[in-house]
């Protein structure tokens, strides 16, 4: 439970860092590559959220001073041993909030889809609804459909209808419905985050601006007509969390202002993509490396000691271990800087197989026990020898979990 809360807290911090960085870089990226480049920069968000979940091998980056300082600053606080209730209460509160967010978004999406009424296919590849809860829009996830309202043909001219449909088809071509679904997941997981409302609004705004820019790139002479179609449609606010709405009243001025801007070519298209990829990969790498920088690199040692036991039992050779891959360091213990020692007793049969693994003693009981037992079951053993034959025996193995070469006795 504590590990879950610590991971959620760490992800929340990286979400805030990514949001601030995107806000700072947005004007620069817009000058370099326009609205489409700004929209692609949002890949930074899943990069920094998923990077700390990946396993971290020993890397020079993880031992660098800036990353060590950052990892120490982001390390989750260690709860006292008697604070058993608080992790449970906080986890229950987070689960309740996440479930509530799921219900609210699901009901909003269902209300919107039901509000469209019956759908009829059109010759232009779109679908016409019998009611208008906020159309045109791209609706659906697995099989998205462009849906227009019942008065679509009456409200817009033929040229305007063509531009609107191309806009919505651009959403479908670039998979924007999946991006909105991912945003809905983030709203559920991070419902408590104070920056999430801004992230949601800004992301959807950049999505529409990028789609406008892509549509106008193929029709540069239709900017006035496109703006006129926007003015006709600005009547309602978007109400479906996973639909790509043509109507987006809160950002009408920004969309029209974007169309008035001249397309700047300060850098070639490829260079703009390199800037975004470098931004995402750079911060993602720092997030990845910082997960292991709270207390330096862990060292795990394991050494069998059974010579005295072998002599007293009349064994010619005690149980030996050929291959001992070290157990993994528990993430919560590593982030909290915990060390410990586990003494195992492994029963080995005459064929060299571990038949039973028991914990004889452990410092910080329950922290390192499970990973130690799991590792011991995977080790390769040689059976003990007595009178020239392999016999069943046992071996005691201390496993030390330490930070920066410090071993807990």
């Amino acid at each position: 439970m504590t590990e879950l809360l610590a991971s959620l807290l760490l992800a929340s911090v990286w979400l805030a860092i990514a949001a601030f960085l995107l806000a700072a870089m947005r004007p620069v990226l817009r000058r370099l590559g326009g609205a489409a480049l700004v929209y692609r920069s949002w890949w930074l968000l899943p990069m920094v959220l998923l990077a700390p979940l990946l396993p971290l091998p020993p890397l020079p980056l993880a031992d660098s001073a800036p990353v060590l300082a950052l990892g120490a600053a982001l390390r989750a606080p260690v709860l006292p041993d008697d604070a058993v209730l608080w992790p449970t209460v906080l986890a229950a509160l987070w689960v309740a909030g996440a479930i509530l967010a799921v219900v609210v978004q699901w009901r909003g999406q269902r209300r919107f889809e039901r509000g469209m009424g019956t759908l009829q296919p059109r010759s232009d590849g779109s679908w016409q609804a019998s009611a208008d809860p906020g159309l045109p829009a791209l609706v659906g996830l697995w099989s998205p459909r462009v849906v227009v309202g019942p008065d679509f043909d009456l409200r817009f001219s033929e040229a305007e209808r063509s531009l609107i449909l191309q806009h919505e088809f651009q959403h479908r071509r670039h998979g924007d419905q999946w991006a909105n679904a991912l945003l809905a997941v983030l709203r559920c997981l991070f419902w408590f985050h104070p920056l999430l409302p801004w992230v949601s609004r800004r992301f959807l705004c950049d999505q529409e601006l990028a789609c406008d820019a892509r549509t106008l790139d193929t029709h540069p002479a239709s900017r006035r007509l496109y703006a006129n179609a926007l003015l006709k449609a600005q009547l309602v606010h978007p109400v479906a969390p996973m639909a790509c709405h043509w109507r987006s009243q809160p950002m009408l001025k920004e969309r029209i202002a974007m169309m008035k801007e001249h397309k700047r070519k300060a850098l070639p298209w490829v260079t703009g993509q390199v800037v975004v990829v470098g931004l995402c990969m750079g911060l993602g790498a720092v997030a990845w490396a910082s997960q292991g920088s709270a207390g330096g690199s862990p060292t795990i040692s394991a050494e069998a000691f059974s010579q005295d036991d072998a002599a007293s039992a009349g064994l010619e050779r005690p149980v030996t271990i050929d291959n001992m891959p070290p157990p993994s360091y528990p993430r919560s213990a590593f982030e909290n800087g915990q060390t410990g020692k586990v003494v195992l007793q492994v029963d080995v049969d005459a064929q060299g197989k571990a038949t039973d693994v028991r914990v004889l003693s452990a410092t910080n009981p329950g922290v390192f026990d499970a990973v130690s037992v799991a590792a011991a079951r995977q080790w390769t053993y040689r059976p003990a020898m007595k009178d020239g034959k392999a016999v069943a025996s046992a071996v005691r193995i201390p496993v030390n979990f330490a930070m920066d070469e410090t071993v807990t006795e």
Side-chain angles (χ1 to χ4, degrees):
M1 197 69 69
T2 304
E3 184 174 352
L4 171 64
L5 294 176
S7 300
L8 193 62
L9 177 61
L10 181 62
S12 301
V13 173
W14 280 113
L15 176 61
I17 293 174
F20 283 123
L21 184 59
L22 287 171
M25 292 294 296
R26 190 174 183 276
V28 178
L29 294 175
R30 189 163 183 173
R31 285 196 298 269
L32 294 179
L37 187 64
V38 173
Y39 181 50
R40 278 189 285 272
S41 69
W42 283 97
W43 277 106
L44 178 66
L45 214 56
M47 285 287 292
V48 300
L49 292 178
L50 294 177
L53 302 179
L54 301 177
L56 180 68
L59 292 173
L61 176 61
D63 296 329
S64 62
V67 175
L68 287 172
L70 181 60
L74 298 181
R75 187 173 63 184
V78 181
L79 295 176
D81 295 335
D82 56 351
V84 180
L85 183 62
W86 279 109
T88 305
V89 172
L90 292 177
L93 180 62
W94 172 75
V95 170
I99 293 175
L100 180 61
V102 170
V103 172
V104 169
Q105 294 192 89
W106 179 80
R107 291 186 62 184
Q109 186 72 21
R110 291 293 295 168
R111 188 183 302 115
F112 176 81
E113 294 180 1
R114 290 177 179 176
M116 295 187 301
T118 58
L119 302 181
Q120 298 293 333
R122 292 165 52 94
S123 58
D124 53 18
S126 64
W127 294 72
Q128 188 155 19
S130 59
D132 186 359
L135 300 171
L138 179 68
V139 183
L141 189 62
W142 301 103
S143 300
R145 294 182 287 188
V146 176
V147 183
V148 299
D151 59 347
F152 184 64
D153 294 330
L154 299 177
R155 178 179 296 180
F156 302 101
S157 66
E158 182 179 356
E160 290 171 343
R161 292 197 300 269
S162 177
L163 289 174
I164 292 174
L165 291 178
Q166 288 184 50
H167 174 97
E168 296 300 331
F169 287 137
Q170 285 283 351
H171 276 307
R172 186 171 66 180
R173 187 176 300 116
H174 288 82
D176 288 341
Q177 74 276 9
W178 289 102
N180 290 352
L182 179 59
L183 178 62
V185 172
L186 292 181
R187 284 170 173 165
C188 297
L189 296 178
F190 299 97
W191 57 267
F192 57 89
H193 204 292
L195 293 179
L196 191 60
W198 178 88
V199 168
S200 301
R201 289 194 302 269
R202 191 69 262 172
F203 173 80
L204 294 176
C205 176
D206 288 339
Q207 183 184 90
E208 289 301 321
L209 291 174
C211 197
D212 290 339
R214 289 193 297 261
T215 304
L216 290 174
D217 282 344
T218 57
H219 300 84
S222 301
R223 295 177 183 271
R224 182 178 295 274
L225 186 66
Y226 196 88
N228 186 57
L230 282 175
L231 291 172
K232 286 184 180 181
Q234 300 307 311
L235 299 177
V236 297
H237 291 260
V239 292
M242 289 187 291
C244 299
H245 292 269
W246 168 263
R247 303 180 180 185
S248 50
Q249 186 171 345
M251 52 175 292
L252 174 61
K253 293 182 179 180
E254 189 171 0
R255 292 178 72 178
I256 294 180
M258 186 274 295
M259 286 184 278
K260 293 181 179 179
E261 294 178 355
H262 295 288
K263 188 175 181 181
R264 304 182 180 182
K265 295 182 178 179
L267 288 177
W269 183 88
V270 174
T271 306
Q273 313 315 307
V274 172
V275 171
V276 170
V277 171
L279 177 67
C280 296
M281 296 297 292
L283 190 60
V286 174
W288 181 44
S290 66
Q291 64 176 303
S293 59
S297 300
T299 58
I300 303 175
S301 62
E303 180 183 357
F305 56 97
S306 57
Q307 293 290 346
D308 295 338
D309 296 340
S312 61
L315 298 177
E316 300 171 3
R317 187 189 70 190
V319 175
T320 57
I321 309 175
D322 290 339
N323 188 21
M324 299 176 66
S328 59
Y329 214 106
R331 181 172 179 176
S332 60
F334 185 48
E335 291 176 347
N336 295 330
Q338 291 178 293
T339 60
K341 180 179 180 180
V342 178
V343 179
L344 303 174
Q345 178 170 308
V346 183
D347 295 333
V348 181
D349 62 15
Q351 285 72 43
K353 295 182 180 179
T355 57
D356 187 32
V357 180
R358 297 187 300 276
V359 177
L360 297 180
S361 64
T363 57
N364 291 325
V367 177
F368 303 102
D369 300 22
V371 294
S372 300
V373 171
R377 293 187 183 277
Q378 302 299 320
W379 291 340
T380 304
Y381 302 90
R382 287 187 183 182
M385 300 294 294
K386 184 176 182 179
D387 299 330
K389 297 181 180 180
V391 295
S393 185
V395 61
R396 291 196 305 271
I397 307 174
V399 182
N400 297 299
F401 294 79
M403 295 283 187
D404 293 332
E405 306 300 331
T406 301
V407 178
T408 301
E409 297 293 342

